Amino acid sequence: MSERPFRLMSGQEHSNWIRLRTLILLRWVAIAGQVTAIAVAQYRYSLQLELALCYLAIGVSAAGNLIAVFAFPENKRLSEFENFLMVLFDLLQLAFLLYLTGGLNNPFALLVLGPVTISAAVMGLRPTLIIGATAIILVTLMAEFHLPLRTEQGFILRIPDIFIFGNWIAIVIAILFIGAYSFRVSNEMRSMSDALSATQLALSREQKLTDLGGVVAAAAHELGTPLATIKLTSAELIEELDDRPDLREDAALIREQADRCRDILRGMGRAGKDDLHLRQAPFSTLVNEAAEPHMNRGKVIVYSEEPLEGGDFQQPTVMRKPEIIHGLRNLVQNAVDFAKTTVWIDAAWNDERITLRICDDGRGFPPQLIGRIGDPFVRRRRGESELRQRPEYEGMGLGLFIAKTLLERTGAQLRFANGTDTFQTLNPYQDRRGAIVEVSWPRKKIDALAGGSNPALGKNIPLEI
């Protein structure tokens, strides 16, 4: 089965999610608000404004909207650069209107936060920094340079300088805080969305492999009866055609090809003659299946199993879930990637719990990241010097996230530690000084025999021809 690499979307690709019509609609709302504010200021409060310049600024914005409506299709999605130009234009247009209407004396000066917030939510770091810096520069200039607000009698409306300074400080802090907050939250949401998509892709692939085994087993089972009939009929024909050598050879060929079909089906479905094996397996078989792709990568993998105190010596039979196989495979891969020579896999169980501990002799997890392990895109496990020793290692930091997400879906609890830590329950062996991952399930969550066998699975008739 071919594999398609899963590539995460960059910030530019995420910005392509924004439709042009969405920004056009927001701009129409802004234009309506600006026209309303100017009309109220003129007719309700009789303020003397530079109406020609004000309506010119609004008209330019409206003209840009009309051009965008007729020049681009409704489903047009903007690139990051196009998004940046749209937001920058809105910021400059708003700043020009504020310059014409009192600068920071105008209570609507807070609206400069709008373009900054939009930029932080949908664009990358660089355009967000440019928009934020431009907004701070414009607010600073408006504090000193602006056309005053005049009443009908010619009085200038202005607030004390200390309040101008306070407004300036408040707006600058709001730009920095809201911009950083919006960027961080939206970036984490995008990262989590990408990570969950990668998790679903990995689970889907594992599920397809399991389903394929089931199809092969079902085909072998269902074809058993017709193949047996063909073989029986051909045998009778061989006996009856002793006086017809040419036809007897044809009947013998039919029997031979029926035997060949039997052998092919047995070879393809040798692991699936019994559906029970596709749905459940001994715990050690499940662990070995998960670790098998990493057995020959130059590291020694030592597997051991024993019952916990009070546990039965018979190892548990567990449900063969794709989530468990793929999750454990990612944990083993992580251990093999960073081990020096050896990886230890220890399985233990009792009547209440099933536990698997994966240890390696590498440098372990960075202590400052232990609490964040399992979050997507937490990459660094080793120092930069060791990374240079292995420059071919690349990754998205999703392995542990995918493993943790899939295993927790099956009811598992995961703990991460280092062999140098004081977690004796995780590290009873003093020679294992690297990373330690412990996966623990309540036995009833994955035990295939909990509450008795499942009669719905049934038992297939062996393929005998």
Side-chain angles (χ1 to χ4, degrees):
M1 179 177 294
S2 62
E3 295 184 11
R4 297 182 179 179
F6 180 82
R7 184 173 60 87
L8 293 178
M9 291 187 175
S10 63
Q12 183 175 0
E13 290 170 321
H14 278 294
S15 67
N16 290 342
W17 293 354
I18 306 301
R19 291 195 310 157
L20 175 62
R21 289 303 170 97
T22 300
L23 294 183
I24 289 176
L25 177 61
L26 292 176
R27 185 178 287 176
W28 282 127
V29 173
I31 290 172
Q34 292 168 359
V35 171
T36 301
I38 291 175
V40 170
Q42 181 183 6
Y43 297 108
R44 174 67 176 83
Y45 297 103
S46 302
L47 298 181
Q48 304 300 311
L49 303 174
E50 295 290 340
L51 295 180
L53 292 177
C54 289
Y55 285 117
L56 174 63
I58 297 174
V60 170
S61 183
N65 256 11
L66 293 174
I67 293 174
V69 167
F70 292 106
F72 297 99
E74 291 188 11
N75 59 352
K76 165 71 175 176
R77 296 187 183 274
L78 301 177
S79 66
E80 185 172 41
F81 182 68
E82 292 169 337
N83 264 319
F84 170 74
L85 293 180
M86 290 279 289
V87 174
L88 183 62
F89 172 80
D90 291 336
L91 177 62
L92 294 175
Q93 188 258 1
L94 177 61
F96 182 61
L97 276 180
L98 291 174
Y99 165 78
L100 297 175
T101 55
L104 296 190
N105 293 284
N106 190 329
F108 291 105
L110 286 174
L111 292 177
V112 298
L113 297 175
V116 176
T117 303
I118 293 175
S119 173
V122 302
M123 287 187 278
L125 179 60
R126 180 179 298 178
T128 299
L129 291 177
I130 295 175
I131 293 293
T134 303
I136 292 175
I137 293 173
L138 292 175
V139 169
T140 303
L141 292 176
M142 284 189 294
E144 294 292 334
F145 306 102
H146 55 268
L147 298 182
L149 289 173
R150 296 180 182 274
T151 63
E152 188 177 15
Q153 293 79 20
F155 296 107
I156 296 177
L157 298 177
R158 56 172 299 173
I159 59 178
D161 291 341
I162 188 172
F163 286 100
I164 293 289
F165 179 74
N167 284 346
W168 176 79
I169 287 290
I171 294 174
V172 169
I173 293 176
I175 290 173
L176 295 175
F177 176 76
I178 295 179
Y181 182 83
S182 299
F183 180 81
R184 182 65 180 270
V185 170
S186 61
N187 193 52
E188 288 190 0
M189 290 177 64
R190 289 194 294 262
S191 298
M192 184 62 69
S193 176
D194 287 339
L196 290 175
S197 297
T199 303
Q200 193 63 38
L201 182 67
L203 179 59
S204 175
R205 181 181 181 277
E206 196 69 40
Q207 185 66 55
K208 286 180 180 178
L209 293 176
T210 300
D211 293 343
L212 181 60
V215 170
V216 172
H221 174 64
E222 295 297 332
L223 290 176
T225 299
L227 285 176
T229 302
I230 293 172
K231 184 175 179 180
L232 179 61
T233 304
S234 62
E236 293 177 353
L237 288 174
I238 291 173
E239 294 176 358
E240 296 177 0
L241 294 173
D242 287 337
D243 57 341
R244 304 285 299 275
D246 53 340
L247 296 180
R248 190 176 187 278
E249 290 180 2
D250 292 339
L253 180 61
I254 293 174
R255 178 175 180 175
E256 179 184 343
Q257 294 304 311
D259 289 336
R260 185 181 177 188
C261 289
R262 176 202 61 192
D263 295 337
I264 291 173
L265 289 173
R266 281 181 173 176
M268 294 175 60
R270 64 185 181 274
K273 292 179 183 177
D274 187 349
D275 280 350
L276 295 178
H277 181 73
L278 290 175
R279 305 191 183 190
Q280 62 189 45
F283 188 61
S284 61
T285 301
L286 206 67
V287 175
N288 287 328
E289 183 177 349
E292 183 179 4
H294 309 290
M295 291 290 189
N296 300 313
R297 292 182 52 197
K299 309 292 175 64
V300 178
I301 298 181
V302 180
Y303 176 76
S304 64
E305 58 182 42
E306 61 179 357
L308 295 170
E309 183 177 356
D312 190 355
F313 281 96
Q314 178 67 34
Q315 67 171 303
T317 299
V318 298
M319 300 300 297
R320 191 183 178 279
K321 295 183 178 181
E323 295 95 329
I324 298 178
I325 297 173
H326 199 87
L328 294 181
R329 185 171 296 162
N330 278 8
L331 293 180
V332 174
Q333 176 183 350
N334 187 73
V336 172
D337 282 342
F338 296 106
K340 294 179 180 178
T341 61
T342 309
V343 174
W344 294 270
I345 303 177
D346 303 320
W349 61 85
N350 58 19
D351 294 338
E352 300 295 330
R353 305 197 69 80
I354 298 175
T355 301
L356 188 73
R357 187 181 300 112
I358 301 174
C359 313
D360 63 66
D361 59 352
R363 295 184 59 178
F365 300 112
Q368 70 274 15
L369 295 182
I370 290 258
R372 295 179 55 201
I373 294 176
D375 290 345
F377 313 112
V378 178
R379 295 188 178 190
R380 293 189 54 191
R381 173 167 163 185
R382 303 181 292 179
E384 295 295 335
S385 60
E386 191 171 352
L387 286 175
R388 287 193 293 269
Q389 296 174 10
R390 192 184 176 201
E392 73 276 8
Y393 180 78
E394 295 180 357
M396 296 179 295
L398 287 174
L400 288 178
F401 171 80
I402 291 175
K404 187 172 184 289
T405 302
L406 293 179
L407 292 173
E408 286 181 345
R409 184 179 296 183
T410 67
Q413 293 181 345
L414 280 75
R415 289 198 292 172
F416 302 90
N418 289 322
T420 55
D421 296 337
T422 56
F423 294 100
Q424 294 301 320
T425 57
L426 287 180
N427 185 31
Y429 307 98
Q430 295 303 315
D431 58 336
R432 306 181 186 183
R433 311 292 291 179
I436 301 174
V437 181
E438 185 182 81
V439 188
S440 180
W441 292 269
R443 183 157 178 165
K444 63 182 180 180
K445 290 288 187 179
I446 61 171
D447 193 338
L449 304 180
S453 60
N454 188 351
L457 296 177
K459 184 176 182 181
N460 287 337
I461 300 175
L463 179 63
E464 293 293 344
I465 299 177

